[in-house]
Amino acid sequence: MYKRQKIQFLMIFLLLSFNFLSVIEVKNSQYYFNEKGSQTKAVLDWTVMLYFCADSRDYYVNSSLDNSDNFINDALNSTIYGLQAWYLAAGSESDLNVIVLFDAPYSSANPYGRAKIYKVEYQNVIFLDDWGSTNMGDGDILEDFINYCKANYPATNYALTLSDHGRGYAGYCYDYHAPHPSYDYALGDCLTVEEVGDAIFNSGGVDVLFLNTCLGGSFEAMWEFTDCVDYAVAGESTQTYKCLHHPKDFLEGLSADPTMTPFELAQLGFDKAVTPDHVPLDYYPEQWPTVSFYDLTAFTSTTSPTGSPVNFKEVFEDFCDILFDELYQNITLKRPFFASIRNETLYSEKVFSSKSMMIDLRHFIETVLTHSHEFVNQDFLESYGSLLVYLLTPGVGKPIVDEEHLPADPFLYNSGDKYANCTGFSICFPNTYDMYQEYLYANFYEDMDISTQTTWDDFIFSVYPQPPELPFIHIPEWYEIWINPIDPVIDLHIFLEGDPLKHIGACPPKATPYSMGIELGVEGVEYVDDFLTGKQTVLIPTSSFGPMTKADKPLFEIEINAAGATVANQQLDLTVKLVNGTTVLWEDSQQAIFNGGEILSCEVSSNNEMSDLEPEEPPATTTPPETTEPPTTTPTNSTIVDMSPTGFIGPAYAILLSSSSLLLVISIIVVIRKKKKM
């Protein structure tokens, strides 16, 4: 009897094991074929590629490897969790592929982040591949991801979403743990506009591009993408974190109707940015502050007000030539003329940060037209300028199909007339020669298509030329303060003693939003920040100090604020000289090693003595930047970064599997008992 029961138990165990093993075998086979691409895939209606850069930062990279609590990671995890749990339609995987490259931030097991590829379905997330520690700011990685998706998940239409920080013409998707190609400093490597364009073009192009980033609606970027993207959705201004939840809305709609055309999906993406359904509720308005729907095919083929065909790119090229020619009619007089026009186009920090050096394109053209009577070529300017304004006014068949921005509403946070002059495209136009603060990629602007195909870059660089070589000999006697090398996010401040205290150096936050971040509080001072070599030099005329009553009275204090520094134990060289003409009257130098977060200071006295650089107490904690996410309501189990290689079984499938197994066991027991009675 005991032997018979033992055999019966063994039979039940083997049957149950076979049932579960068959499921595991199917899952592992799917994983194998997805990774190797050896199985012929059906061509579905859509493949949507989500490039999720969660190995990111709240604001600056710092000396710690641990960036696990950044709000980008929280929002992107919430998006994937929401898609599989609620928003993707059941059965939509037969018409729609949703593939995500998710680069997770720091963990104790993966201190430099770890990128994995998943397929997201209704109530299921399937692990596909492990790319390890990956630089999402490398254009080759983006190209590899697009090629991977197209090879393994072919479709009639393709959409690509980039989700992370963005800086318009200066790039997207900043990888916290990847080294910056030019500097070991504060932002990490990123995808330049040129890299994004090359990656999409080399992989065969996409039908729709969603830029769920800040400052995505860059004219330079859209110009770059015209040969590889048909439609795009992005916002020209800074955004709130809510744009990171955008895929929940447009993929819910696409999964319900995968027969959408690319134009219809882009329109849906725009509509859901204006009135989203699935974003966290908090004190921010629900919509994006600004968002536009771009038709990039219209850059080379659109229609004029008379209905005749016109090439939008060629019209803009001609307009740039008119500006450039006008500037060189009399460059001495025209530089301040154009600088004055540029500074009529001022924007709130909530639209473009002072360091972004951006203006709204149509707003600028309209401002130029108000000065047309001052142009030598007035007729040409008015003709081309008016045509550009018409072509930049939203409409089907135009470069901007639709545009929305927050209305003035005193009861809404982050709204108001500050967005009134946002019309769809941002473009770079600095108001000083202190250019490219924090956007340090040597020659990256000159290498973009808009710079090689138009004279726009020649124009803006001629309005604000690079400063001459130091020293500036028109100052008869001066103090020269020189520091090198220096991380660009380290601030140099010089305070001249007196009442009131005079300041030279980086502006306090929000103090002068239109100054490009440099404050010159002393007449005659020269300030040069050479970002490409990491050197900062300040020249202060001795006439700025006034009469001295004591021989040892402090003249000025030098403060080096490394609160945002990314590199610990960095060496700093400081030199102070008193110069008259070509003669150095006095000079003193010192070196110091500082840690990230320190503030070092010293004093120079009227009898030409310099004290040692000493650390100060760190400043009081300031309010976090606007991009910091408020507390999230995302479920705590939303993380996906530690999923098993076979993914997880959806609830409905798990119930079905358990039920069938239970029925099998009951049937076997009934049969055995009947035999026993016989």
Side-chain angles (χ1 to χ4, degrees), residues 416-441:
D417 59 2
K418 60 181 69 70
Y419 297 100
N421 292 322
C422 293
T423 66
F425 280 125
S426 69
I427 193 168
C428 175
F429 193 165
N431 67 352
T432 174
Y433 58 59
D434 294 309
M435 304 174 72
Y436 301 147
Q437 286 196 65
E438 301 189 41
Y439 296 174
L440 309 181
Y441 292 81

Side-chain angles (χ1 to χ4, degrees), residues 548-565:
M548 297 290 108
T549 57
K550 291 185 178 180
D552 60 348
K553 180 179 179 179
L555 277 180
F556 54 89
E557 177 186 358
I558 301 171
E559 180 185 285
I560 301 165
N561 188 332

Side-chain angles (χ1 to χ4, degrees), residues 135 137 175-185 187-190 441:
N135 177 7
D175 192 298
Y176 186 97
H177 292 106
H180 188 283
S182 302
Y183 260 111
D184 185 12
Y185 86 120
L187 298 177
D189 194 11
C190 84
Y441 292 81

Side-chain angles (χ1 to χ4, degrees), residues 21 47 62 89 146 165 177 183 224 243 253 257 270 331 336 349 360 442 476 539 622 638 671:
L21 284 172
T47 290
N62 57 48
I146 298 173
H165 293 288
H177 292 106
Y183 260 111
E224 192 88 15
C243 70
D257 181 14
F270 170 81
I331 195 166
E349 283 276 321
D360 180 88
L539 304 185
T622 57
S638 63
V671 171

Side-chain angles (χ1 to χ4, degrees), residues 573-607:
D573 297 321
L574 170 65
T575 298
V576 180
K577 300 178 183 179
L578 176 61
V579 182
N580 189 317
T582 59
T583 304
V584 177
L585 304 178
W586 167 79
E587 178 178 355
D588 196 1
S589 300
Q590 57 180 303
Q591 293 182 336
I593 303 294
F594 63 81
N595 295 312
E598 281 190 332
I599 299 176
L600 303 179
S601 66
C602 67
E603 289 184 344
V604 175
S605 66
S606 57
N607 59 349

Side-chain angles (χ1 to χ4, degrees), residues 40-173:
T40 301
K41 293 287 185 179
V43 178
L44 304 189
D45 291 325
W46 279 94
T47 290
V48 177
M49 299 166 281
L50 305 179
Y51 196 77
F52 277 8
C53 308
D55 187 14
S56 190
R57 56 189 165 78
D58 282 341
Y59 195 48
Y60 285 125
V61 174
N62 57 48
S63 57
S64 171
L65 290 176
D66 189 352
N67 64 328
S68 56
D69 62 348
N70 75 81
F71 71 87
I72 302 285
N73 178 47
D74 294 340
L76 297 182
N77 265 304
S78 169
T79 296
I80 294 179
Y81 180 85
L83 285 172
Q84 63 85 25
W86 300 298
Y87 305 129
L88 289 177
S92 60
E93 61 271 12
S94 61
D95 302 296
L96 167 67
N97 297 307
V98 179
I99 312 298
V100 55
L101 175 58
F102 186 94
D103 188 20
Y106 168 92
S107 68
S108 57
N110 300 286
Y112 292 93
R114 188 170 185 175
K116 296 181 181 180
I117 300 180
Y118 302 93
K119 186 174 189 289
V120 185
E121 300 176 352
Y122 173 68
Q123 295 190 349
N124 202 7
V125 178
I126 304 168
F127 172 86
L128 300 179
D129 208 349
D130 186 341
W131 283 12
S133 180
T134 299
N135 177 7
M136 299 286 274
D138 184 343
D140 290 340
I141 298 299
L142 176 60
E143 184 176 337
D144 290 345
F145 175 58
I146 298 173
N147 284 330
Y148 175 95
C149 293
K150 288 188 174 184
N152 293 287
Y153 299 94
T156 304
N157 304 294
Y158 294 96
L160 172 67
T161 296
L162 303 185
S163 297
D164 189 18
H165 293 288
R167 291 178 173 242
Y169 64 85
Y172 310 97
C173 301

Side-chain angles (χ1 to χ4, degrees), residues 197-398:
D198 288 345
I200 298 175
F201 178 82
N202 293 339
S203 55
V206 298
D207 299 285
V208 183
L209 174 65
F210 296 107
L211 292 173
N212 297 336
T213 70
C214 284
L215 306 170
S218 157
F219 187 64
E220 295 94 338
M222 297 307 155
W223 186 290
E224 192 88 15
F225 303 154
T226 53
D227 59 353
C228 57
V229 176
D230 289 340
Y231 305 103
V233 176
E236 67 171 305
S237 68
T238 56
Q239 303 289 341
T240 72
Y241 74 100
K242 290 188 175 182
C243 70
L244 300 169
H245 297 265
H246 188 225
K248 296 177 183 177
D249 281 306
F250 74 76
L251 279 172
E252 180 182 49
L254 181 61
S255 67
D257 181 14
T259 64
M260 286 185 184
T261 65
F263 183 92
E264 290 170 336
L265 176 60
Q267 183 69 64
L268 174 67
F270 170 81
D271 293 340
K272 290 302 181 181
V274 175
T275 54
D277 295 322
H278 306 303
V279 293
L281 299 177
D282 55 26
Y283 49 85
Y284 287 108
E286 291 191 2
Q287 73 175 68
W288 296 21
T290 61
V291 63
S292 295
F293 170 12
Y294 305 109
D295 181 353
L296 303 192
T297 66
F299 269 65
T300 54
S301 178
T302 185
T303 55
S304 69
T306 62
S308 59
V310 63
N311 186 310
F312 172 73
K313 279 191 170 184
E314 291 179 356
V315 177
F316 181 77
E317 290 173 38
D318 292 337
F319 182 76
C320 292
D321 290 342
I322 294 170
L323 296 180
F324 186 72
D325 291 343
E326 185 74 22
L327 175 64
Y328 275 88
Q329 291 283 344
N330 187 331
I331 195 166
T332 302
L333 295 178
K334 290 298 182 177
R335 274 178 174 164
F337 169 69
F338 279 111
S340 175
I341 292 176
R342 186 261 178 256
N343 286 330
E344 290 179 33
T345 59
L346 300 179
Y347 307 90
S348 164
E349 283 276 321
K350 295 183 184 298
V351 181
F352 307 124
S353 70
S354 61
K355 295 177 180 179
S356 70
M357 296 165 286
M358 294 177 182
I359 59 174
D360 180 88
L361 176 58
R362 196 179 99 195
H363 182 214
F364 169 71
I365 297 171
E366 291 171 339
T367 304
V368 169
L369 288 173
T370 64
H371 294 269
S372 63
H373 60 283
E374 301 175 66
F375 278 71
V376 174
N377 296 312
Q378 179 179 355
D379 292 342
F380 285 106
L381 176 80
E382 291 177 346
S383 175
Y384 283 93
S386 299
L387 179 55
L388 277 178
V389 169
Y390 169 80
L391 295 176
L392 289 169
T393 302
V396 175
K398 295 182 178 181

